[in-house]
Amino acid sequence: MPVPFPRPPLPTTLVTGRRAADRERAIMAVVDEPDTTVIIEGLADPTSPLADSAALATPPAIVRIAPGCLCCAGNLVLRVTLNRLLRRPPARLFISLADATHVGQLRAFLSASPYDSLLSLCDDITA
């Protein structure tokens, strides 16, 4: 059986900010890969900047996770979402956080096994 070609780690950016619209605007300002996915903590807002992303030649895929701290209460949901996403990883990943209180713990979680070899954490964006 052939050995699968190892994939390079997925560039991943955590995006924080007080308002969802600000976080989404910050993501739209830096989306430069045609195959980008955005995990958003929170409910859909029809007036969000990402709602207008369909006008882009290659809009980012959007995955929404129910509100809740992604390193505490939402850890299992984030883990399941990431595992599904990593089966066919995009070229770029953004994770939009509703609360930056535990961003350090989330970075530690994403830097630990098994995600340490699958994700490459980039500098955070503060909106």
Side-chain angles (χ1 to χ4, degrees):
M1 176 181 275
V3 176
F5 184 74
R7 296 183 195 151
L10 173 61
T12 304
T13 302
L14 302 179
V15 182
T16 60
R18 293 183 55 98
R19 295 177 6 146
D22 294 340
R23 292 190 309 270
E24 293 178 21
R25 252 190 298 288
I27 292 168
M28 289 302 293
V30 297
V31 168
D32 57 356
E33 295 283 342
D35 185 17
T36 298
T37 296
V38 181
I39 296 175
I40 300 174
E41 176 191 4
L43 304 174
D45 179 357
T47 62
S48 81
L50 289 174
D52 294 332
S53 67
L56 296 175
T58 53
I62 299 170
V63 178
R64 294 207 178 262
I65 293 180
C69 182
L70 295 182
C71 76
C72 299
N75 182 283
L76 179 60
V77 174
L78 178 61
R79 194 180 292 263
V80 168
T81 301
L82 280 173
N83 290 348
R84 286 181 179 159
L85 179 73
L86 291 169
R87 290 182 192 149
R88 290 194 180 137
R92 185 95 171 91
L93 175 63
F94 291 91
I95 302 175
S96 175
L97 306 171
D99 185 1
T101 304
H102 296 158
V103 74
Q105 291 95 317
L106 184 58
R107 284 186 74 80
F109 165 74
L110 296 173
S111 298
S113 182
Y115 301 113
D116 59 340
S117 63
L118 301 172
L119 303 175
S120 172
L121 293 178
C122 303
D123 292 338
D124 297 345
I125 295 175
T126 303

